[in-house]
Amino acid sequence: MDGTKQQRRGNTRQRIQDVALELFAEQGYEKTSLREIAERLEVTKAALYYHFKTKEEITVSIFTDLTKPIEDLIEWGRSQPQTLETKHELVRRYSQALSEAAPLFRFMQENQATVRELQIGDSFKDRMRSLRDIIIDPQAPLTDQVRCVSAIFTLHAGMFFLQDLEGDPEEKRQAVLEVAVDLVTQAHQGA
Amino acid sequence: MDGTKQQRRGNTRQRIQDVALELFAEQGYEKTSLREIAERLEVTKAALYYHFKTKEEITVSIFTDLTKPIEDLIEWGRSQPQTLETKHELVRRYSQALSEAAPLFRFMQENQATVRELQIGDSFKDRMRSLRDIIIDPQAPLTDQVRCVSAIFTLHAGMFFLQDLEGDPEEKRQAVLEVAVDLVTQAHQGA
Amino acid sequence: MDGTKQQRRGNTRQRIQDVALELFAEQGYEKTSLREIAERLEVTKAALYYHFKTKEEITVSIFTDLTKPIEDLIEWGRSQPQTLETKHELVRRYSQALSEAAPLFRFMQENQATVRELQIGDSFKDRMRSLRDIIIDPQAPLTDQVRCVSAIFTLHAGMFFLQDLEGDPEEKRQAVLEVAVDLVTQAHQGA
Amino acid sequence: MDGTKQQRRGNTRQRIQDVALELFAEQGYEKTSLREIAERLEVTKAALYYHFKTKEEITVSIFTDLTKPIEDLIEWGRSQPQTLETKHELVRRYSQALSEAAPLFRFMQENQATVRELQIGDSFKDRMRSLRDIIIDPQAPLTDQVRCVSAIFTLHAGMFFLQDLEGDPEEKRQAVLEVAVDLVTQAHQGA
DNA sequence: TATGAATGAGAATTCATTCAT
DNA sequence: AATGAATGAATTCTCATTCAT
């Protein structure tokens, strides 16, 4: 009661995004209804429609807002010389970016089928392709290309599939990062 | 097309599974309604309920039937000595098994959020854990453990995320397999 | 296993009626599906249709078979002189008949709305009317007529609404009977 | 007919209850679908779900609203001395309350099997027990206890089972009441 | 900046019933 | 005397969305 209602003022849009993402990641996109989002926020469904035109728009807005760092990262990557050092740095920064937007990526990881149908799908694929094109050398043998894709993939999966491996989360992130960097290195040398 | 109606006799159950999996993989589990499945089969929804008690039961039955080879594989893995050779063979066979049940794994890959809620989720997690426990040495450094998880993951992802890389599918599968085998080798030596 | 299957021979019709009535009384008519009946009998639904044309027919047949004694009773009542003694005997015999077909009457008591829609409804109403006409003197004051209806009703209700009153069932039946007889007596004298 | 649409505003919830009870009493609970209720109200099924979470909730709400007077009556009964006069007054007031909520009690009378499964069942049984405990003397002989139950029961049944007895409804209610009062008196005197 | 009331479309599921074998 | 396979019609319920206020 103290401040809560006052704080709410003016940032409902933001709060909708937060709660929505939280629920999408928890239970999946299709299983999450606008009623649930509204209930958790203690507003009516209609209020959501004041801020967003559709359920999809909520999702797109979350995606757009949260992947800005990655877009920037790609921009940066493109402007750098294509050295191994650049690739390593890219992987490092990407790992960082992923862990900062973990819920979004968990959502995307676990709802690929849905994401594919949404507009997001394409933007995301584009981004992935751009990233890949920076790391991969298209002249390289297929295995080395796979290594690069695998590096990126390892980063993605790392966040969720290592949960039942013992160890401190940050330590695990470092281990994952190391493996990914390694894969990129091997791909680079292999040529 | 030839003798359609006659052929239908007695294999409806099987046909339901086929069509269901097809659609689940195509459009996602939640987006696929029993009406659609029934329509594509040219039977009524009620016919589906003659063969399966619920939508989930259809899914479980598909899973159970199609992952039998993997269960066998794990059985085999456990009975072997824990050598590098065994691990390699396991990875090879797993890659094979995956590509044989590709639609199922595509479905599971792309509908993780859903799968988590279904009974399947647990059986699958168990299986993944068993597999991991055969390949991983729990005494090994964290990075090496990650390498093994990454190997398995690379196999999984390989099937879907390499689709827009040019090259013949079988050739790509071989490349993926090579990278995975490599990761396991590194994990083994790393210790 | 011993004899069961053999015994089953030739009396399936009867067993269907038994199980159906059992379930109707337990869970209500509408809530009881033919599937359930068939399952409890370990036959298929189609088997029920070999013996009865519809669900309603099952019900009607149960009713007809089990209320034969009451029909006879009414026949008897009509042939007797309209003395108080006759009325008492009628009530006594009716009480007996009710307790012998308890499940049927429980079913009818608890599913009046349904029974009304079924054919049974009318036959039953007819029977009740006949009974009433034997006990009631249409010239008697309204209160005395009510007393007679109440007597019959007390018998009906007695079976189910006294269940949570302590005491031995047969003893309770006797008490109920006594009250009913009493009501009839009062109605008779009151005139 | 006059200003229909305007009048509708803001009392839909109430109208749903009315129509529902009407239909439940007319055709039985199970036979009454939400579609029918909605149609008779000229709204969509979904509108019902805006006001009530389930079909059962509609029923419970009707029950709760309409049996308030009886709850009050029991409260009153408990606060009075346990004299014969109190018992008589209780019976009189109960008769009145019943006739005021006639459709509800008709519904409950005729759908006992259903009511038993619903939450209502228990609340109702509790109420009946409370009522009984006020009227009955647990030390009294069984027959006298039966007389009391029979009195209450006569009131219940009176409403529906006397319909085909000739005479003015209010006159019949009085006759029923008289018989019930009489039964209580006899029980009290220990006849 | 929201809410209350409602809708239309569609979901999963259940049921009594049928019929060729 | 019974089964296996299927149907058509219905049911309860959920969802994203709309709009007057």
Side-chain angles (χ1 to χ4, degrees):
Chain A
M1 295 266 161
D2 61 301
T4 327
K5 280 252 158 123
Q6 279 72 358
Q7 283 196 329
R8 245 162 232 190
R9 291 256 138 162
N11 63 341
T12 305
R13 198 190 136 90
Q14 159 83 339
R15 288 174 60 240
I16 293 172
Q17 293 177 315
D18 291 350
V19 167
L21 181 51
E22 199 175 307
L23 288 171
F24 291 167
E26 239 173 64
Q27 351 172 328
Y29 181 78
E30 324 271 358
K31 280 256 175 75
T32 302
S33 67
L34 295 186
R35 179 177 52 68
E36 265 177 303
I37 299 176
E39 254 162 30
R40 192 173 284 202
L41 281 167
E42 293 176 277
V43 297
T44 54
K45 268 180 291 170
L48 307 185
Y49 279 91
Y50 176 78
H51 293 281
F52 300 95
K53 268 210 281 290
T54 63
K55 188 184 180 185
E56 178 159 0
E57 207 193 273
I58 297 180
T59 318
V60 171
S61 82
I62 294 172
F63 175 78
T64 311
D65 290 8
L66 264 64
T67 56
K68 183 66 176 32
I70 286 176
E71 229 174 301
D72 293 348
L73 179 56
I74 288 170
E75 209 62 33
W76 174 87
R78 276 208 249 262
S79 73
Q80 297 302 110
Q82 289 240 49
T83 66
L84 179 57
E85 199 37 55
T86 300
K87 293 177 184 180
H88 282 175
E89 184 58 20
L90 196 73
V91 166
R92 259 180 243 115
R93 293 192 184 190
Y94 190 60
S95 166
Q96 183 65 33
L98 280 182
S99 87
E100 269 156 16
L104 174 64
F105 284 94
R106 181 169 168 210
F107 156 56
M108 296 190 65
Q109 174 81 25
E110 298 195 337
N111 295 273
Q112 291 168 43
T114 299
V115 166
R116 221 185 331 134
E117 319 274 277
L118 264 36
Q119 293 181 256
I120 298 183
D122 295 326
S123 334
F124 186 67
K125 265 207 157 166
D126 284 354
R127 243 157 258 194
M128 284 295 100
R129 247 190 291 270
S130 304
L131 230 137
R132 206 189 55 195
D133 290 347
I134 299 178
I135 313 191
I136 282 188
D137 173 3
Q139 247 70 53
L142 197 50
T143 30
D144 285 329
Q145 299 193 30
V146 169
R147 259 182 262 269
C148 290
V149 173
S150 179
I152 296 178
F153 223 86
T154 298
L155 294 176
H156 275 242
M159 299 153 64
F160 317 112
F161 279 71
L162 255 43
Q163 272 163 353
D164 53 324
L165 226 54
E166 54 178 55
D168 153 78
E170 185 51 26
E171 210 177 320
K172 280 194 282 184
R173 190 171 81 79
Q174 289 304 333
V176 166
L177 181 51
E178 199 182 320
V179 172
V181 165
D182 228 58
L183 279 161
V184 172
T185 309
Q186 288 168 39
H188 196 83
Q189 298 171 326
Chain B
M1 311 263 158
D2 56 304
T4 331
K5 280 258 159 114
Q6 279 72 358
Q7 281 198 328
R8 239 159 239 192
R9 280 281 144 95
N11 62 340
T12 306
R13 199 191 136 92
Q14 159 82 343
R15 289 174 60 238
I16 292 172
Q17 293 178 314
D18 293 349
V19 167
L21 181 51
E22 199 175 307
L23 287 171
F24 290 167
E26 236 172 66
Q27 349 173 329
Y29 180 78
E30 326 270 358
K31 279 260 175 72
T32 303
S33 70
L34 296 186
R35 181 181 51 71
E36 264 177 304
I37 299 177
E39 254 163 28
R40 192 173 287 201
L41 281 167
E42 292 178 282
V43 296
T44 56
K45 271 177 291 165
L48 306 187
Y49 280 93
Y50 175 76
H51 293 280
F52 300 94
K53 268 207 278 292
T54 61
K55 188 182 180 187
E56 178 160 359
E57 207 192 271
I58 298 181
T59 319
V60 170
S61 83
I62 294 173
F63 175 78
T64 310
D65 291 8
L66 263 63
T67 58
K68 183 66 175 34
I70 285 176
E71 229 174 301
D72 294 347
L73 180 55
I74 287 170
E75 208 63 31
W76 174 88
R78 276 206 246 263
S79 73
Q80 296 302 110
Q82 288 241 45
T83 65
L84 180 57
E85 198 36 55
T86 299
K87 293 176 184 181
H88 283 174
E89 184 59 19
L90 196 75
V91 166
R92 258 178 244 117
R93 293 192 185 189
Y94 190 60
S95 166
Q96 183 66 32
L98 281 182
S99 86
E100 268 156 18
L104 175 64
F105 284 94
R106 180 169 168 210
F107 155 55
M108 295 190 66
Q109 174 81 26
E110 299 195 337
N111 294 272
Q112 291 170 41
T114 298
V115 165
R116 221 186 330 135
E117 321 273 276
L118 264 37
Q119 291 181 255
I120 299 184
D122 295 326
S123 335
F124 186 66
K125 266 207 157 166
D126 284 354
R127 242 156 260 194
M128 284 295 100
R129 250 190 288 271
S130 304
L131 232 140
R132 205 190 56 195
D133 291 346
I134 300 178
I135 313 193
I136 280 188
D137 173 2
Q139 248 70 53
L142 199 50
T143 30
D144 284 329
Q145 298 193 32
V146 169
R147 260 181 261 270
C148 289
V149 174
S150 180
I152 297 178
F153 222 85
T154 299
L155 294 175
H156 275 243
M159 297 153 64
F160 317 112
F161 280 70
L162 255 43
Q163 273 164 351
D164 53 324
L165 225 54
E166 54 179 56
D168 153 76
E170 184 53 24
E171 210 178 321
K172 281 194 280 183
R173 187 170 85 78
Q174 289 304 333
V176 165
L177 181 51
E178 198 183 321
V179 172
V181 164
D182 228 59
L183 278 162
V184 170
T185 309
Q186 289 168 38
H188 197 83
Q189 297 171 329
Chain C
M1 298 263 162
D2 60 301
T4 328
K5 279 253 160 119
Q6 280 73 358
Q7 282 196 328
R8 243 162 233 190
R9 289 257 140 161
N11 62 341
T12 305
R13 199 191 135 90
Q14 158 82 338
R15 288 175 60 240
I16 293 172
Q17 292 177 316
D18 292 349
V19 167
L21 180 51
E22 199 174 307
L23 287 171
F24 291 166
E26 238 172 65
Q27 349 173 329
Y29 180 78
E30 322 272 358
K31 280 256 175 75
T32 302
S33 67
L34 294 185
R35 180 177 53 69
E36 265 177 303
I37 298 176
E39 255 163 28
R40 194 174 283 202
L41 281 167
E42 293 177 278
V43 296
T44 54
K45 270 180 292 172
L48 307 186
Y49 279 92
Y50 176 79
H51 293 282
F52 301 95
K53 267 209 279 292
T54 63
K55 189 184 180 184
E56 179 159 359
E57 207 192 274
I58 297 181
T59 318
V60 171
S61 82
I62 294 173
F63 176 78
T64 310
D65 290 8
L66 264 63
T67 57
K68 183 66 176 31
I70 285 175
E71 230 173 301
D72 294 348
L73 181 55
I74 288 170
E75 209 62 32
W76 174 86
R78 277 207 248 262
S79 73
Q80 296 302 109
Q82 288 240 48
T83 67
L84 180 57
E85 200 34 56
T86 301
K87 293 177 183 178
H88 283 174
E89 184 59 19
L90 196 74
V91 166
R92 260 179 243 117
R93 293 192 185 189
Y94 190 60
S95 167
Q96 183 65 33
L98 281 183
S99 88
E100 268 156 18
L104 175 64
F105 284 95
R106 180 170 169 210
F107 156 55
M108 294 190 66
Q109 174 81 25
E110 299 195 337
N111 295 272
Q112 291 169 40
T114 299
V115 165
R116 218 184 334 134
E117 320 274 276
L118 263 37
Q119 295 180 252
I120 299 183
D122 295 326
S123 338
F124 186 66
K125 266 206 157 167
D126 284 354
R127 243 157 260 193
M128 285 295 100
R129 248 190 291 269
S130 305
L131 232 137
R132 207 189 54 196
D133 291 347
I134 299 178
I135 312 192
I136 281 189
D137 173 2
Q139 247 69 53
L142 199 49
T143 32
D144 284 330
Q145 297 194 32
V146 169
R147 261 181 260 270
C148 289
V149 173
S150 180
I152 297 178
F153 221 84
T154 299
L155 293 176
H156 275 243
M159 298 154 64
F160 317 113
F161 278 72
L162 255 42
Q163 274 164 351
D164 52 325
L165 226 52
E166 54 178 57
D168 154 75
E170 185 52 24
E171 209 178 321
K172 281 193 281 182
R173 189 171 82 80
Q174 288 305 332
V176 166
L177 181 51
E178 198 182 321
V179 171
V181 164
D182 228 58
L183 279 162
V184 171
T185 309
Q186 290 167 38
H188 196 82
Q189 299 170 324
Chain D
M1 303 264 159
D2 57 303
T4 331
K5 279 256 158 116
Q6 278 74 357
Q7 282 199 328
R8 236 160 241 190
R9 279 280 146 97
N11 64 339
T12 307
R13 201 191 135 91
Q14 159 82 341
R15 289 175 60 238
I16 292 172
Q17 293 177 316
D18 293 350
V19 167
L21 180 51
E22 199 175 308
L23 288 171
F24 290 167
E26 235 171 68
Q27 348 172 333
Y29 180 79
E30 325 270 359
K31 279 259 174 71
T32 303
S33 70
L34 296 185
R35 181 180 52 70
E36 263 177 306
I37 299 177
E39 255 163 29
R40 192 173 286 201
L41 282 167
E42 292 177 281
V43 296
T44 56
K45 273 175 291 164
L48 306 187
Y49 280 94
Y50 174 75
H51 293 280
F52 300 95
K53 268 207 276 294
T54 61
K55 188 183 178 184
E56 178 160 358
E57 208 193 270
I58 298 182
T59 318
V60 171
S61 82
I62 294 173
F63 175 77
T64 310
D65 291 8
L66 265 62
T67 57
K68 183 68 176 32
I70 285 176
E71 229 175 302
D72 294 347
L73 180 55
I74 287 171
E75 208 65 32
W76 174 86
R78 274 207 250 262
S79 73
Q80 295 304 110
Q82 288 241 46
T83 65
L84 179 57
E85 199 35 56
T86 300
K87 293 176 184 180
H88 283 174
E89 184 59 19
L90 197 75
V91 166
R92 260 179 243 117
R93 293 192 185 190
Y94 191 59
S95 167
Q96 183 66 32
L98 281 183
S99 87
E100 269 157 18
L104 175 63
F105 284 94
R106 180 169 171 213
F107 155 55
M108 294 189 66
Q109 175 80 27
E110 298 195 337
N111 293 273
Q112 291 169 41
T114 299
V115 165
R116 216 182 339 132
E117 319 274 276
L118 264 36
Q119 289 182 256
I120 297 185
D122 295 326
S123 334
F124 186 66
K125 266 206 156 167
D126 284 354
R127 241 156 262 194
M128 285 295 100
R129 249 191 288 270
S130 304
L131 232 138
R132 205 191 57 196
D133 290 346
I134 300 178
I135 314 193
I136 281 189
D137 173 3
Q139 248 70 52
L142 199 49
T143 30
D144 285 329
Q145 299 192 32
V146 170
R147 261 183 260 270
C148 290
V149 174
S150 180
I152 298 178
F153 224 85
T154 299
L155 294 176
H156 275 244
M159 298 153 65
F160 318 113
F161 279 71
L162 255 42
Q163 272 163 353
D164 52 325
L165 226 52
E166 55 179 55
D168 153 76
E170 185 52 24
E171 209 177 322
K172 279 192 283 182
R173 189 170 84 79
Q174 288 305 333
V176 165
L177 181 51
E178 199 182 321
V179 171
V181 165
D182 227 56
L183 278 162
V184 171
T185 308
Q186 289 168 39
H188 196 81
Q189 295 170 327

